[in-house]
Amino acid sequence: MKRLPHILARTMLSLSVATLPAFAQQAGTPAQTSAPNAPDQQPAFGGQTRAPQPAETVNIQTEVVAEGLPHLWAMEFLPDGRMLVTAKQGAMHIIGTDGKAGPEIANVPEVLADGQGGLLDVALAPDYETSGKIFFSFSEPRDDGNGTSVASARLVADEQGGGALDDVSVIFRQTPSYDGNKHFGSRLVFGPEGQLYVTVGERSDAEPRVQAQDLQSGLGKIFRISQTGEALPDNPFAGEDGALPEIWSLGHRNLQSAALDGQGRLWTVEHGPKGGDELNLPEAGKNYGWPEVTYGVEYSGAAVGDGVTQMANTEQPVYYWDPVIAPSGMAYYDADAIPEWKGAFLVGGLVSQGVVVLHMENDRVKHEERVALDARIRDVKVGPDGAVYAVTEQRGGGNSTIIKLTKA
Ligand SMILES: [Ca+2]
């Protein structure tokens, strides 16, 4: 395993294309061969973990299309094929089709760039082509601590590849604030009717994390809001006393992966405890268990709570990973360039250092395929050309690259 992703990236660039996978995959056996952290835990149904690899995997070639970038967190394609990226330290850039990053976009609000916090996800408004509107999430420094907030703005690009944000407005704040630097989430996904799903974290520490089960707290939730930040009137807890009306689902740990499928349904992958990352199809008002019900164990190896993996009135994950992949961004593959991946979810892995391809059937994972990229993957997007683009990061900072994946 290469320890220095940038050296590998340069090697790949100099070769123009490097052919993957780097390791032989065996059809029918799971991609994951390491021992689980919680060997005594049993899945609730067959195929809930360690799904077999497909009989034939696609031969993928990779090409570094941008390098020397600041530590990125998220990427989104603009309609003209350029990329809009967020840098964790609090900057936004447009990357030209030549792979060069333009100057910093002006007027990005101050972010708490500390620990897992910073400038996080970015999404284009559904009417971006006419409105120029974007939405972004960030760790917001506040008088009483910090928390994940969502802002909207108009992106006004200039001739030099830079630009400015106009009409910046914080439309939503996760509450309560907390003085920590972990588990901010987050991803922003627009549903088919323009509703905005916001995923967050539960702030990790023992005291805040139990609030994932508390409907009066915004920690450990998925929210569903309007583009001006209001709870939608048909949300599951709207009008209910003692519940935040913005909540869509509860009992989540740290949600950094989210995407719509071909039917417009929201899917998420969250960071679980050690051995407990999970894929969910979060439904209105449902409880996804954390921290009372989960696969995996604490980082110390101790049981999480009572060590319960199934409980009435909590939802089982569609799929879980032990050991974890440490999910980042995810995309739903609906393009034609890699036909074998049509209908699959592509999930970036920080720890698994590549892209996890989940081939779905009847809302279950039929096959799990892995594309090794030997770098921590922070976001995954499908380009207008049908290629897959993976954003790398280096632990603790350093430069990011963007790798293009195509069928060999
Ligand atoms: Ca769960």
Side-chain angles (χ1 to χ4, degrees), residues 279-302:
L279 169 74
N280 288 299
L281 170 58
E283 293 184 70
K286 293 197 173 169
N287 182 349
Y288 290 83
W290 180 256
E292 293 182 359
V293 189
T294 186
Y295 292 93
V297 294
E298 301 279 9
Y299 294 128
S300 67

Side-chain angles (χ1 to χ4, degrees), residues 82-96:
R82 294 185 297 166
M83 303 172 197
L84 177 64
V85 297
T86 60
K88 188 167 175 284
Q89 287 300 309
M92 217 177 266
H93 296 269
I94 293 172
I95 298 177

Side-chain angles (χ1 to χ4, degrees), residues 74-78 84 86 92 120-126 128 132-137 150-153 187-190 196-197 381:
M75 184 268 272
E76 196 69 63
F77 277 95
L78 295 170
L84 177 64
T86 60
M92 217 177 266
L120 304 175
D121 202 20
V122 62
L124 307 188
Y128 173 80
K133 221 170 172 188
I134 65 167
F135 290 75
F136 53 95
S137 61
V150 180
S152 68
R187 291 287 167 186
L188 306 174
V189 175
F190 285 99
L196 177 57
Y197 293 102
K381 285 280 158 23

Side-chain angles (χ1 to χ4, degrees), residues 145-347:
N146 56 67
T148 301
S149 294
V150 180
S152 68
R154 250 174 355 103
L155 174 63
V156 184
D158 64 23
E159 308 267 300
Q160 287 73 47
L165 299 183
D166 217 352
D167 303 329
V168 178
S169 169
V170 175
I171 63 158
F172 179 76
R173 288 186 165 92
Q174 177 197 28
T175 58
S177 302
Y178 179 70
D179 186 12
N181 67 5
K182 294 192 288 295
H183 294 198
F184 294 95
S186 72
R187 291 287 167 186
L188 306 174
V189 175
F190 285 99
E193 285 91 43
Q195 70 273 38
L196 177 57
Y197 293 102
V198 179
T199 77
V200 296
E202 41 55 299
R203 309 311 309 278
S204 179
D205 297 338
E207 180 218 332
R209 83 176 186 183
V210 296
Q211 295 180 36
Q213 290 292 322
D214 182 354
L215 287 170
Q216 299 186 63
S217 164
L219 308 190
K221 305 296 187 307
I222 296 173
F223 305 102
R224 182 174 175 262
I225 57 176
S226 73
Q227 292 178 30
T228 46
E230 288 90 28
L232 294 178
D234 59 344
N235 275 359
F237 303 108
E240 193 170 304
D241 282 345
L244 296 179
E246 297 90 353
I247 293 173
W248 174 253
S249 60
L250 63 146
H252 299 287
R253 186 171 177 273
N254 189 22
L255 290 149
Q256 293 193 333
S257 271
L260 294 191
D261 67 9
Q263 301 174 48
R265 301 177 301 172
L266 179 77
W267 291 73
T268 58
V269 181
E270 65 185 73
H271 289 275
K274 189 177 179 179
D277 286 352
E278 55 182 55
L279 169 74
N280 288 299
L281 170 58
E283 293 184 70
K286 293 197 173 169
N287 182 349
Y288 290 83
W290 180 256
E292 293 182 359
V293 189
T294 186
Y295 292 93
V297 294
E298 301 279 9
Y299 294 128
S300 67
V304 178
D306 297 331
V308 175
T309 60
Q310 299 182 42
M311 191 189 283
N313 301 317
T314 64
E315 304 305 309
Q316 278 295 308
V318 170
Y319 195 70
Y320 71 89
W321 288 267
D322 178 10
V324 298
I325 57 169
S328 54
M330 75 190 277
Y332 177 74
Y333 194 80
D334 200 23
D336 299 313
I338 310 175
E340 294 84 350
W341 287 0
K342 190 112 179 161
F345 289 111
L346 312 175
V347 186

